[in-house]
Amino acid sequence: MGKRDETAPDLLKMGETHIFDCGLQLSFTNIQTPDLPEKTLKRAAKDNGMSGSVDSLNFFQIDAVVENTGSKKLKFDLHYQYHFARVGDPARQATGLDLHDGALFDVVLHPGRRLAGYFVFASKKKWGDHVELDSKIYLEPDLTTLSSVWVGSLSDAVHSGAVPAIAAGATASPSVSVSSATVASIEAEMRKRDEGKRIALENPRLALELGIGDPNRHAGFDDGGLIDINGVEAETLSRAFRLSADAASRIVGARARVGGIFSSIDEIVLYAELNPREEQLLRERAVVLPW
């Protein structure tokens, strides 16, 4: 079908992230019981050829998040047919049910954008709680197949048919999931950036002393990764803001035309002719200091 991405790791724990060379970031964030009617699950298992009584089956859902961290538009297919899960005995393969979130099928993902979906599997209960998921992404137009293997475990709650999710491989309470911890971490970084932006706007001198927006300064203040647009070149702009090389070049050119210093984000958007997506990426991490 195409070449295998040689940078793909042999094994990742559920919740960890892998970035492929093409700029596609993939993680399977959580294992949980599917929030779907039991009748629907059993019918799908039977339709997919699960032998024996459907009452002896486990049903589990694996949540996925993909993000385009590169500068090029990506088109790919993360359909369940390119996945299989082993449960317990490595020789035992779970069945992928055709109940997944269609958001991960036939996707065109622009730079800086992310999306989430899920895949549902059925397995025999006696196979144990160890899960390995072999992921394959069919990337167009060069027909490349990106592969990685993920490992996790099903909790007793999943075995008993209860709904609570548990982070795969974790020893914490079933009420704690990798996805919620990740969201909390991201929200904390956003709050740091908001505070840094406030200081830069209200007291630029203090912002300078604190090193806000300067990735090379370490003054003991965590600004959540803010970048001063007046202090970086096109390459840093492209990398830090996940902008295309063209957008970064337009910003640098516009900065030169206004005398080397922007006075506001609005001015950057106007003179660099940024589209809404580029503006959104810029505003999330940008500050403008007047020197």
Side-chain angles (χ1 to χ4, degrees):
M1 179 182 284
K3 64 180 181 179
R4 183 184 187 276
D5 187 295
E6 296 300 331
T7 65
D10 292 330
L11 195 69
L12 287 175
K13 288 184 178 179
M14 194 69 61
E16 292 181 351
T17 298
H18 177 60
I19 302 178
F20 295 98
D21 289 342
C22 63
L24 191 69
Q25 178 175 291
L26 170 67
S27 62
F28 292 98
T29 58
N30 196 41
I31 296 180
Q32 62 182 334
T33 299
D35 187 17
L36 294 165
E38 186 178 0
K39 248 185 216 183
T40 302
L41 293 170
K42 289 183 176 180
R43 184 184 307 114
K46 186 176 181 180
D47 291 344
N48 281 274
M50 289 298 289
S51 59
S53 168
V54 291
D55 293 327
S56 65
L57 299 178
N58 279 322
F59 297 98
F60 61 95
Q61 173 181 311
I62 295 183
D63 299 329
V65 175
V66 290
E67 181 175 0
N68 185 351
T69 62
S71 59
K72 296 180 180 179
K73 179 175 69 175
L74 295 174
K75 184 175 182 181
F76 61 92
D77 186 1
L78 191 58
H79 195 268
Y80 88 91
Q81 66 186 358
Y82 300 119
H83 292 70
F84 61 85
R86 300 182 185 92
V87 180
D89 182 348
R92 300 290 190 176
Q93 185 172 318
T95 295
L97 308 183
D98 197 8
L99 299 168
H100 60 86
D101 188 331
L104 294 180
F105 178 70
D106 194 19
V107 176
V108 175
L109 200 60
H110 293 273
R113 294 298 177 91
R114 66 194 301 239
L115 54 85
Y118 62 85
F119 302 91
V120 177
F121 295 90
S123 70
K124 294 289 186 65
K125 289 182 180 178
K126 64 181 180 181
W127 288 355
D129 65 357
H130 179 77
V131 176
E132 287 186 11
L133 181 71
D134 182 19
S135 70
K136 288 183 172 63
I137 306 170
Y138 185 64
L139 188 70
E140 298 181 10
D142 57 357
L143 306 182
T144 299
T145 301
L146 310 179
S147 300
S148 56
V149 179
W150 307 73
V151 64
S153 62
L154 295 173
S155 70
D156 290 337
V158 172
H159 283 298
S160 65
V163 174
I166 183 169
T171 57
S173 164
S175 63
V176 179
S177 70
V178 171
S179 55
S180 62
T182 301
V183 169
S185 175
I186 292 172
E187 288 177 339
E189 291 298 306
M190 291 171 66
R191 287 193 293 271
K192 292 175 185 177
R193 291 196 291 273
D194 288 344
E195 177 64 10
K197 291 174 189 176
R198 184 191 66 78
I199 294 173
L201 182 64
E202 297 177 0
N203 194 339
R205 290 179 60 193
L206 176 59
L208 179 66
E209 292 300 319
L210 292 173
I212 291 174
D214 185 350
N216 298 315
R217 283 282 303 277
H218 301 281
F221 182 85
D222 186 355
D223 63 10
L226 292 174
I227 299 291
D228 175 18
I229 297 296
N230 287 329
V232 293
E233 298 306 316
E235 183 179 350
T236 302
L237 283 170
S238 180
R239 183 178 64 253
F241 295 98
R242 298 177 298 183
L243 293 167
S244 67
D246 174 66
S249 178
R250 278 186 275 123
I251 291 172
V252 171
R255 187 174 62 194
R257 291 196 300 275
V258 299
I261 297 176
F262 287 117
S263 61
S264 68
I265 302 295
D266 290 336
E267 189 177 43
I268 301 171
V269 173
L270 175 64
Y271 285 100
E273 299 181 344
L274 300 183
N275 63 39
R277 184 192 68 81
E278 292 165 344
E279 178 182 354
Q280 181 181 7
L281 291 173
L282 196 71
R283 288 188 184 279
E284 179 58 36
R285 295 181 177 273
V287 291
V288 177
L289 294 178
W291 43 67

